[in-house]
Amino acid sequence: MPGCHEVAKAELHLHLEGSVTPATMQELAPGASTEEIRERFRFSNFAGFLECFKWVVERLRGPEDYALVTRRLLETLSSQNVRYAEITLSAGVVLWKKQEFEPIYDALQREVARSPVDVKWNLDAIRHFGAEHAMQVAELAAGYVDDGVVSFGIGGDEERGPAGWFTDVYRFARAKGLCLTAHAGETVGPESVWGALRLGAERIGHGIRAVDDPALMRHLRDEDIPLEICISSNVATGAVPSLAAHPVRRFYDAGVPIVLNTDDPGLFGTTLEKEYDLAAREFGFSEDELAQVAENGFRYAFARVKPERVEVKKDE
């Protein structure tokens, strides 16, 4: 829908590492053939997606590679009139790879300083690695609260990393001034969303299985808790059986706050513009409705920005 392409947009559920496209992957791993990269980027379920994500992040060797990925992502966002983005950095993966975090983060921030996109960071722990791992990421995030990091979250395998493990971690993160989010209700039922809410999550990553629980739907609506909806992602990972089965329209019609996002756009072959087009073409969202969804991206941002207040930085 061309009209919505011109609207200022914000993206709140976007993984830096998952933004790597096959073309950028060729730059990062010149020894890999085009066919190998194409095969690695081919998957049909969540387990296959995790394997692809793992293959990509293992080839991010240091600050220069992370800077390249950030630069390519910010160029794409800027071209789509995305004014503000909260980008998830898998800090848990950086620790898992035993890389030094500070030089990587400094490299990312140098790229942000050169971009017209206003960027804040969400540091993400791998939930199936356990609570001790998550606390290490939360402690890391707490050290950057005044340097671009606005939130802490958990991603990964919901079934192997139940929310109840992370009560103390989330309590610590909140006390340190971090906003809270969590992937939930993506591959596990509504009980996973309830668990994230008990942790204090202020936004829910995906949350699509909330549609199976009317009480949860009412709670999300009445408490004004937004879902970070990622349509193409849910189809690609098999979280929904088909595009037509995606509940995005049901959420909107029920008054549950939603924000459209790409999740891992390089891995899923999508862009934010494509997600808006999907919402219009497949789910009947009008231009006015999508303008409201775009506004939600600013309304529910942890930095509490508004589109008219976003200052577009000049390229240096």
Side-chain angles (χ1 to χ4, degrees):
M1 184 175 287
C4 280
H5 295 175
E6 299 171 1
V7 172
K9 292 178 286 294
E11 183 156 15
L12 306 182
H13 190 117
L14 171 59
H15 293 266
L16 176 67
E17 300 86 346
S19 72
V20 177
T21 63
T24 301
M25 200 67 236
Q26 195 75 71
E27 295 182 76
L28 294 167
S33 68
T34 302
E35 181 55 39
E36 179 186 4
I37 294 172
R38 186 181 299 118
E39 188 59 33
R40 293 285 185 175
F41 276 58
R42 187 178 294 131
F43 46 84
S44 59
N45 55 37
F46 192 73
F49 157 70
L50 287 180
E51 283 301 311
C52 176
F53 191 91
K54 180 173 178 285
W55 186 79
V56 170
V57 298
E58 286 176 337
R59 281 148 187 81
L60 297 178
R61 295 157 295 186
E64 295 79 9
D65 287 350
Y66 277 90
L68 172 65
V69 173
T70 304
R71 186 160 59 252
R72 295 282 185 268
L73 173 58
L74 294 178
E75 289 168 354
T76 300
L77 293 177
S78 179
S79 72
Q80 297 175 83
N81 204 21
V82 176
R83 302 287 188 86
Y84 175 82
E86 288 176 8
I87 303 176
T88 292
L89 172 61
S90 292
V93 171
V94 175
L95 297 180
W96 170 70
K97 292 190 295 182
K98 302 189 186 308
Q99 292 174 318
E100 191 176 353
F101 182 81
E102 185 175 358
I104 289 173
Y105 188 74
D106 288 346
L108 306 187
Q109 287 291 74
R110 284 193 293 272
E111 295 300 326
V112 167
R114 289 193 283 265
S115 171
V117 182
D118 189 5
V119 172
K120 301 297 180 187
W121 296 94
N122 171 64
L123 296 197
D124 186 67
I126 304 166
R127 59 192 300 160
H128 54 273
F129 281 10
E132 184 177 347
H133 159 84
M135 184 62 85
Q136 291 175 341
V137 176
E139 290 171 346
L140 192 62
Y144 289 88
V145 166
D146 297 321
D147 188 20
V149 173
V150 292
S151 57
F152 165 81
I154 51 175
D157 192 322
E158 294 174 73
E159 194 167 12
R160 291 191 289 147
W165 288 0
F166 306 103
T167 302
D168 290 341
V169 179
Y170 270 71
R171 185 181 296 119
F172 168 85
R174 180 183 293 281
K176 293 297 183 180
L178 290 157
C179 294
L180 305 174
T181 184
H183 288 60
E186 180 183 11
T187 58
V188 177
E191 67 277 6
S192 180
V193 180
W194 283 118
L197 294 173
R198 284 191 291 272
L199 290 176
E202 300 161 77
R203 294 198 316 246
I204 302 296
H206 300 287
I208 56 172
R209 295 276 53 89
V211 77
D212 299 329
D213 185 341
L216 178 54
M217 292 278 280
R218 289 192 296 271
H219 180 80
L220 294 170
R221 178 198 65 200
D222 295 345
E223 297 301 318
D224 199 30
I225 300 169
L227 301 182
E228 302 162 359
I229 296 293
C230 311
I231 301 171
S232 293
S233 165
N234 297 150
V235 176
T237 63
V240 293
S242 68
L243 178 59
H246 199 285
V248 58
R249 184 81 235 187
R250 295 171 64 185
F251 287 127
Y252 186 88
D253 290 344
V256 175
I258 64 168
V259 180
L260 289 180
N261 310 273
T262 58
D263 196 10
D264 300 273
L267 276 55
F268 301 135
T270 191
T271 65
L272 194 54
E273 287 184 349
K274 288 182 180 180
E275 297 302 300
Y276 275 75
D277 287 341
L278 269 179
R281 185 176 67 249
E282 302 295 334
F283 301 99
F285 279 80
S286 69
E287 193 164 311
D288 286 344
E289 288 172 334
L290 288 178
Q292 177 57 57
V293 172
E295 166 65 22
N296 283 350
F298 296 96
R299 177 183 178 188
Y300 295 105
F302 287 141
R304 300 292 185 257
V305 293
K306 295 292 182 183
E308 67 272 16
R309 296 178 185 173
V310 175
E311 296 182 5
V312 180
K313 295 174 284 186
K314 301 297 184 182
D315 292 340
E316 293 181 353

